[in-house]
Amino acid sequence: MDDLVAGSAPTAHHAFLLQSLAWKRSHVLEAIEGLDDEALNRAHVASGWTPLDLVRHLTVDVERYWFQAVMLAEPDAVAFASGDSSGWQVGVPEAYDDVVAAYRDEITRSDRVLASLAPEAKPRWVEGAVGRADLTSVIVHVLVDTATHAGQLDIVREGIDGRQYLVVHP
């Protein structure tokens, strides 16, 4: 595998993307921290997803899909992504600890992938890559997706208890 670069230093651009991704991942977790089970498992938007549904989606359909399935073509991840299942199981009550632990575990696996591939590494599961040409384009996609969902969680959180992630004063 000529795209494996374990131990090599990332470029400044690549390092910035990885730092930004880590920040948005922590932002997601901070947005739901301290909410009770009722708030975590209740839909706060018309489409019906709950805060825990969104974190599960990020775990399975974002982290696992893009890094395990698309970049590594890991058989179990590709099989899951190719099937009828998804991370969206809207309205299925779950325990905060289980959902957060799964997200953290998937982030750890993703970070191992990110550390082992060169920025220009090509997706190994081309059918799932949906136009993403290399690891850098996948990172940008995951970063944007994660940031978007973090913002959605911010709005939900503000509606629940008024807590704001970033407060801008005029």
Side-chain angles (χ1 to χ4, degrees):
M1 292 189 222
D2 55 356
D3 53 5
L4 291 177
V5 292
S8 68
T11 65
H13 174 75
H14 192 70
F16 173 76
L17 290 174
L18 296 178
Q19 289 167 346
S20 297
L21 179 57
W23 176 43
K24 289 292 107 187
R25 289 165 166 167
S26 66
H27 180 171
V28 164
L29 294 173
E30 288 175 34
I32 64 168
E33 186 176 30
L35 291 175
D36 63 25
D37 286 340
E38 191 279 327
L40 289 164
N41 283 290
R42 179 170 49 91
H44 303 271
V45 294
S47 57
W49 58 262
T50 71
L52 289 182
D53 290 336
L54 192 72
V55 176
R56 186 183 339 94
H57 162 68
L58 286 167
T59 303
V60 176
D61 300 325
V62 178
E63 294 285 342
R64 185 178 302 156
Y65 181 89
W66 287 103
F67 297 123
Q68 299 294 318
V70 170
M71 289 310 301
L72 291 186
E74 196 281 321
D76 289 340
V78 170
F80 183 86
S82 299
D84 293 333
S85 299
S86 82
W88 287 108
Q89 297 172 2
V90 176
V92 176
E94 292 191 85
Y96 169 87
D97 290 342
D98 294 341
V99 173
V100 169
Y103 186 49
R104 290 182 191 279
D105 288 348
E106 203 59 49
I107 288 169
T108 298
R109 283 190 282 282
S110 296
D111 285 346
R112 282 196 289 262
V113 172
L114 292 166
S116 71
L117 296 175
E120 64 277 0
K122 303 294 180 222
R124 294 185 181 142
W125 183 40
V126 178
E127 296 83 6
V130 197
R132 305 303 180 272
D134 56 22
L135 179 61
T136 299
S137 65
V138 166
I139 293 168
V140 170
H141 176 82
V142 171
L143 173 59
V144 169
D145 203 7
T146 304
T148 299
H149 290 316
Q152 292 170 319
L153 287 169
D154 284 344
I155 292 168
V156 165
R157 180 63 185 255
E158 188 173 351
I160 293 170
D161 63 7
R163 181 171 171 231
Q164 297 175 337
Y165 184 75
L166 292 175
V167 179
V168 180
H169 298 283

